[in-house]
Structure formats: C-alpha cells, structure tokens
Amino acid sequence: MGLFSFLKKKSDPADAELVVLDTRLRAGEPSRLDSEAERERQRAIARATAAKIDEIELAMASDIFDDEPAWGSAARHPAAAAPAAPQAVPAEELPDAAALPASAPAVEESAILYANGQAAAAESLLRDSLQDFGRHERLPWWMLFDLYQATGQEAAFESIAIDYASHFETSPPAWQPLLPGPGTPQSAGVAATESLGPVLDDAIAPRLARLLASNAALVRIELGAVRSADAGGCAQLLQALQTLRKEGRELVLAGADTLMTTLRPMLAVGDRASGEAPWLLLLELLLLSNREKDFEESAMDYCVTFEVSPPSFEAPRRVSTAAPAAGSGDRFLLPALATGDCAALLDAIDAYAAGRDLLVLDCSRLARMDYACATALQGPLRVHTEQGRRVELRELNHLAAALLRLLGYGQETEKLRDSLRLYPHRY
C-alpha cells in the first residue's frame, strides 16, 4: 500500500469498451534467451543500465539548472519519476516509413486483427514475430508496446520493455496507458492549444487566460519547450491546471516529463528557498500523469520540507499525456475509439477544416480505429488534399499507423503522398 493510499478513494472501473485482456504466454513459446538464468541476468543488467541512465540524466539536469551546492552539502532533490520515453523528434523530421520488408506480413496481419477487435490474436502473432524479426527490427516491439498500453496490460508491457532494453541496449520505454480513465469522453473535437516556453514566468498569464476563457471542450498545453521556471510562473500554471481539472475540462498535457525534469533540480528536501509553488506544480503534474508512486514519494519530500500535510493523490479524469509536438495551433483530437458508424466524426472533421490550409488530426489518445472507420475516413481526407489542404495524422500508435499504411493512406499519387502524412509516435 502506498504511503498516502489511505487518503484517496478507489477509482471507478475503466471504460468497458476497451477490455483488459487476461492473456498468458502460449505453451511452447520460443525463448529469446538461452536459459531462464541467463534471462534474469539480462533483465538485471537492463534494470541497472536504465537506473544508471536516470542517475546521469538527473545529475546533468542539476548541473544545468542548479547552482553548485556548497562543499559538504547534503541537499537531496525529490525522487525522479520512472524512466520516461524519449521525447519525440519534431514531426517534420520524422515522416512515416513503410513496414520493414522482413516483418511486413506479420505487421500487416496483426494490425488488421487488432483493428477488428481481436487483440489477443494480434498479440500472439506479434510475440511470435519477435523470434524471427525481433533481434533486428523494432516495429513489432513498438506495436506490442502500443497493444499492451491500449488494453491496460501493464505487467506484460514491463516484461517486454526489459527484454527490449536488453536486446537493443537502450533505456526501456515508460508505461503510458492509452486506456481511457473513468469519465473520459469518447467524443472528438477541436482542441484549444497553447505552447509554453522556454521560460515559465509571470508572462504566461495571458496565454493561460486564453485557454481558460476558451469555449473548447478540449484543451492541449505544450510544455516540452520549457527550460527554466520561477515561482511566479509555477504558481500561474498550477492554478490553471487545477482550474481545468476542477471544471472537468478535457486536458491533454504534452511534454510534461520535460517540465518535471526542469523543476526537480530547483527543489531540495528541507530547503524552502524555492517556495511552495514549484513543489505543488511538480505534484500536480505527477497526479495528472497518473504516477501515484512518484507522487507519494515527492509528497513526502514536500511534507518534510514545509512541515505541512501533503495533497492527496486522486486518479485523474479526462486527462491524457502526449509527446511534445512541433509547431502550435489548434488540433482536431480524435477519440479513444474510432469504430463503427463514424459519420459524426467525419462531419466534425469537415467542420474543423473550414478556413484551414493545414489539418492536424491529433491521435495521441486514439487506442483503436477499426477497418470500417479507417476506410470511411480516407475518402474525405483525399477530398481535402485534392482541394489543396495538407493533412497530418500525428502521434499515431503503431497499430493504427500500420493499418492506415496498408489502406494506402497518402500513397495513391505523389501529390497525395506529400499532402497526407502519417506521424507515429516514437519510442
């Protein structure tokens, strides 16, 4: 039980439409390592490597953002969160690529199975493909990561994340579930967007006021460019985030990990010089990112520093996280499930397109799109590109991206290839 677990209420069950699958390893599944002992040894190496990377990153952040502590200082910064996935490279630099030739059949078949609601069959096919292609190609791994996050299978995700780190000698990706939380609406819509940075100070007040005054049901805040912060800016952002949460507005936080990395070196346990606002902003970001363990550890540090009761953790509702994106401007946020009759979704996209030359469809919370909806969406998007508009589907999960590639999105002609682009998120 977490340190402050007794202070919070139990969460409601997750959305029933995305069922958490009770999958197990298939009998006779090929081992990717020579023995169980060797497997455990490789896992231990991967964990140690990831921990060392985190330690180095935290030390580098401290060197950049903190003054050098006095000799003999015992100042301790709040514990870092679990390793986060690397931040996305700007979309303009990473257009989608076709499936690698060796793994293409397994990639395409598993994408179709998953789109048709057969997640267990897609998982089995992808796991089998790791033996044949997993030592050289990363796409099957990425699709499995997305499948587990879309179906809420954290234990399975963590298991293959450690194997992935061992195979490719890299820090493993962090768990960021696509599964909508209780109360998360399934509707789509235009998201009012604001990008903050590089300095978080009192000058952000007008931008935050614009978001709070917006009639948009969806709000997206880009935090990935923030490199420094002061108490005034932290207080402004904290108040805005708390207001949006209490109002029940749907919120997408992009680049929250970057801002948390900026805040932590400012804070030392027992040192009140930074004031309470940066501490409380860190706790709010951890809560909105649904990182309960990290929240409780940092809450204890805050409690010790200011000798007050810490805020209690409550599972966030109507909140999702995303990688930071290049550029700014309002986006059209796709729903978690795009299935069945999607006429209303197509009408909403057409309304969003009016008066715009660039249509950005934000897929950061899209867990699954079925074959029927993907086919229906292709026609209107082709019309928009033929009318001279550019269309970008950003932050796609790799299962959805594989399905759209298979349907020929953006590949009919050279003109459409340039006008309609897919940008899957990156691990």
Side-chain angles (χ1 to χ4, degrees):
M1 180 179 292
L3 180 60
F4 298 107
S5 297
F6 65 93
L7 294 174
K8 65 181 178 65
K9 297 180 181 178
K10 296 293 185 182
S11 307
D12 295 332
D15 191 303
E17 286 195 79
L18 288 178
V19 179
V20 177
L21 302 177
D22 182 16
T23 55
R24 296 173 175 80
L25 294 179
R26 301 171 63 225
E29 178 184 76
S31 172
R32 295 189 295 281
L33 297 173
D34 296 334
S35 67
E36 186 64 26
E38 176 63 12
R39 181 183 176 87
E40 290 303 318
R41 188 180 75 83
Q42 293 291 342
R43 284 171 176 258
I45 292 173
R47 290 190 186 97
T49 300
K52 188 62 177 176
I53 290 172
D54 293 340
E55 180 182 345
I56 293 171
E57 288 177 347
L58 183 58
M60 290 175 65
S62 298
D63 290 340
I64 294 172
F65 295 108
D66 256 2
D67 293 332
E68 190 69 22
W71 184 88
S73 171
R76 178 171 68 83
H77 297 294
Q87 300 293 355
V89 176
E92 288 76 8
E93 299 176 16
L94 286 175
D96 189 27
L100 294 174
S103 62
V107 163
E108 292 173 353
E109 185 177 350
S110 58
I112 293 173
L113 288 169
Y114 179 75
N116 289 338
Q118 298 174 274
E123 176 196 1
S124 177
L125 181 60
L126 287 169
R127 291 191 69 97
D128 287 345
S129 75
L130 295 185
Q131 181 189 21
D132 299 325
F133 316 116
R135 290 191 179 275
H136 309 291
E137 299 180 9
R138 303 194 184 201
L139 184 55
W141 294 89
W142 294 345
M143 293 176 74
L144 261 178
F145 288 143
D146 288 338
L147 186 151
Y148 288 142
Q149 291 180 120
T151 54
Q153 300 183 72
E154 185 172 4
F157 176 93
E158 295 296 347
S159 177
I160 69 160
I162 292 172
D163 288 344
Y164 177 84
S166 175
H167 286 319
F168 297 107
E169 298 181 353
T170 186
S171 182
W175 168 256
Q176 293 183 331
L178 287 170
L179 186 70
T184 300
Q186 298 301 309
S187 60
V190 180
T193 303
E194 194 63 61
S195 298
L196 304 181
V199 180
L200 195 71
D201 57 17
D202 286 327
I204 67 172
R207 297 182 182 181
L208 297 177
R210 185 187 78 86
L211 289 180
L212 293 174
S214 169
N215 292 325
L218 309 173
V219 174
R220 179 183 175 107
I221 304 179
E222 291 277 352
L223 303 171
V226 177
R227 294 296 179 266
S228 65
D230 63 21
C234 289
Q236 294 275 358
L237 180 57
L238 172 65
Q239 182 178 7
L241 293 176
Q242 291 177 335
T243 299
L244 291 168
R245 181 159 59 92
K246 290 173 182 176
E247 288 179 351
R249 303 275 289 278
E250 187 169 0
L251 176 64
V252 177
L253 284 180
D257 288 331
T258 300
L259 178 53
M260 286 190 277
T261 299
T262 298
L263 292 174
R264 283 194 180 90
M266 298 170 56
L267 313 177
V269 180
D271 183 357
R272 303 183 183 184
S274 63
E276 292 189 55
W279 283 91
L280 293 173
L281 178 58
L282 174 63
L283 291 174
E284 183 71 12
L285 292 171
L286 290 171
L287 185 153
L288 293 173
S289 301
N290 202 22
R291 298 183 182 180
E292 183 174 3
K293 183 173 182 281
D294 299 320
F295 177 94
E296 291 181 343
E297 291 176 357
S298 295
M300 174 54 77
D301 291 339
Y302 168 79
C303 176
V304 169
T305 300
F306 293 97
E307 299 179 358
V308 295
S309 297
S312 58
F313 182 87
E314 56 183 82
R317 296 170 179 264
R318 304 169 69 89
V319 178
S320 57
T321 57
S328 59
D330 292 344
R331 297 169 162 220
F332 187 93
L333 196 63
L334 293 183
L337 289 172
T339 59
D341 182 6
C342 56
L345 174 63
L346 303 184
D347 290 343
I349 291 174
D350 286 342
Y352 160 72
R356 287 183 166 87
D357 295 325
L358 172 63
L359 311 185
V360 180
L361 305 187
D362 187 333
C363 306
S364 58
R365 68 173 184 177
L366 177 66
R368 183 167 72 90
M369 177 181 289
D370 69 8
Y371 192 90
C373 189
T375 303
L377 177 62
Q378 191 171 20
L381 294 186
R382 184 186 295 115
V383 170
H384 288 305
T385 58
E386 289 174 347
Q387 291 175 348
R389 297 185 178 95
R390 289 185 297 120
V391 179
E392 297 178 355
L393 284 82
R394 293 184 179 174
E395 300 177 40
L396 280 160
N397 71 63
H398 292 277
L399 293 152
L403 175 69
L404 299 184
R405 282 196 304 263
L406 183 61
L407 291 175
Y409 267 62
Q411 298 177 12
E412 296 91 340
T413 66
E414 287 298 324
K415 178 182 177 182
L416 293 185
R417 182 176 302 163
D418 292 336
S419 300
L420 195 159
R421 294 190 175 186
L422 310 180
Y423 295 102
H425 72 85
R426 300 289 167 169
Y427 282 111

